[in-house]
Amino acid sequence: MAFTEFVVPTLKTDPVTEATFTTEIAPFLINILDTHTTPPKAKYFGKILVENGNDVSGEFRLCMGLEWEDASHFNTFIASENFETFKSIVKPHSVAPPVPQLYNTDFAPIQVFESALTEVWQVKIGGEDRKVVEATGAWEKFVSAVAEAGGVNGSGTSIQGTSVNLEEKRWVGVFGWESSEIREKVLGSAAVKEAKKSLDVLLWNTFVTAFAK
């Protein structure tokens, strides 16, 4: 098991915000993560390219992926004075406050984060345990079909799990793709399309990001 975090900030789209985030906000965040008493095992910054099937590559849409050794390490960071300072710095440039999402996943996320593309599927499960079972079953069926179609290269290129910090519980499934061409070919195959139907009916949100290497 591993602790995988996603942060998808809703930032303003003006040039000043983009410049400020790149030159001031991101370096400050990296510094407070690196100097925290229990820093994350890994961290990646990326840009969202596709969301819910729509091309958003031309927009300033960011995503951050992290791996923590333990949920308590994440909790102490979120409760730290440095994180409070970060929130005050990013607030003037945000449409809404950032909502860190921590998931207890079956495998460490490093391989999916280091892939050319990282695709994320999210399901709102609330307090309904049956939705966890449904999402997990649909995911296993989907992963199996993707593997048969040649979209999985070894273990660790897909992870799944449930949130541990959100008021409304969520399930997440994540794939690491070697290239956009492989992704398009595999997702376009008849068998994968059929297997994906049971996952699609549960989905709340999905996006594709490319993390900087």
Side-chain angles (χ1 to χ4, degrees), residues 4 105-113 115 118-119 121 139-140 142-144 146-147 151-161 171-177:
T4 302
T105 55
D106 50 1
F107 297 106
I110 187 167
Q111 281 191 255
V112 293
F113 287 168
S115 299
T118 300
E119 187 158 6
W121 287 266
W139 180 252
E140 290 174 352
F142 177 50
V143 169
S144 177
V146 169
V152 175
N153 182 22
S155 62
T157 50
S158 70
I159 61 174
Q160 62 87 25
W171 171 92
V172 71
V174 192
F175 251 117
W177 299 102

Side-chain angles (χ1 to χ4, degrees), residues 63-96:
C63 177
M64 189 172 185
L66 304 94
E67 181 188 358
W68 296 89
E69 182 70 36
D70 189 79
S72 63
H73 297 178
F74 163 85
N75 291 332
T76 57
F77 177 73
I78 294 299
S80 68
E81 289 185 12
N82 279 338
F83 187 69
E84 287 299 317
T85 301
F86 167 74
K87 289 196 295 184
S88 67
I89 293 173
V90 77
K91 184 177 180 180
H93 304 283
S94 301
V95 176

Side-chain angles (χ1 to χ4, degrees), residues 48-67:
I48 294 178
L49 306 176
V50 179
E51 183 171 32
N52 294 321
N54 300 312
D55 183 350
V56 296
S57 58
E59 302 176 20
F60 186 55
R61 302 290 302 280
L62 303 180
C63 177
M64 189 172 185
L66 304 94
E67 181 188 358

Side-chain angles (χ1 to χ4, degrees), residues 108-175:
I110 187 167
Q111 281 191 255
V112 293
F113 287 168
E114 291 190 346
S115 299
L117 296 175
T118 300
E119 187 158 6
V120 179
W121 287 266
Q122 296 172 304
V123 175
K124 284 186 177 181
I125 57 178
E128 299 182 60
D129 291 340
R130 66 173 181 82
K131 282 195 173 182
V132 178
V133 176
E134 289 177 6
T136 302
W139 180 252
E140 290 174 352
K141 180 180 178 181
F142 177 50
V143 169
S144 177
V146 169
E148 290 182 10
V152 175
N153 182 22
S155 62
T157 50
S158 70
I159 61 174
Q160 62 87 25
T162 54
S163 64
V164 297
N165 73 310
L166 300 174
E167 185 174 343
E168 183 176 23
K169 199 169 185 179
R170 297 175 192 172
W171 171 92
V172 71
V174 192
F175 251 117

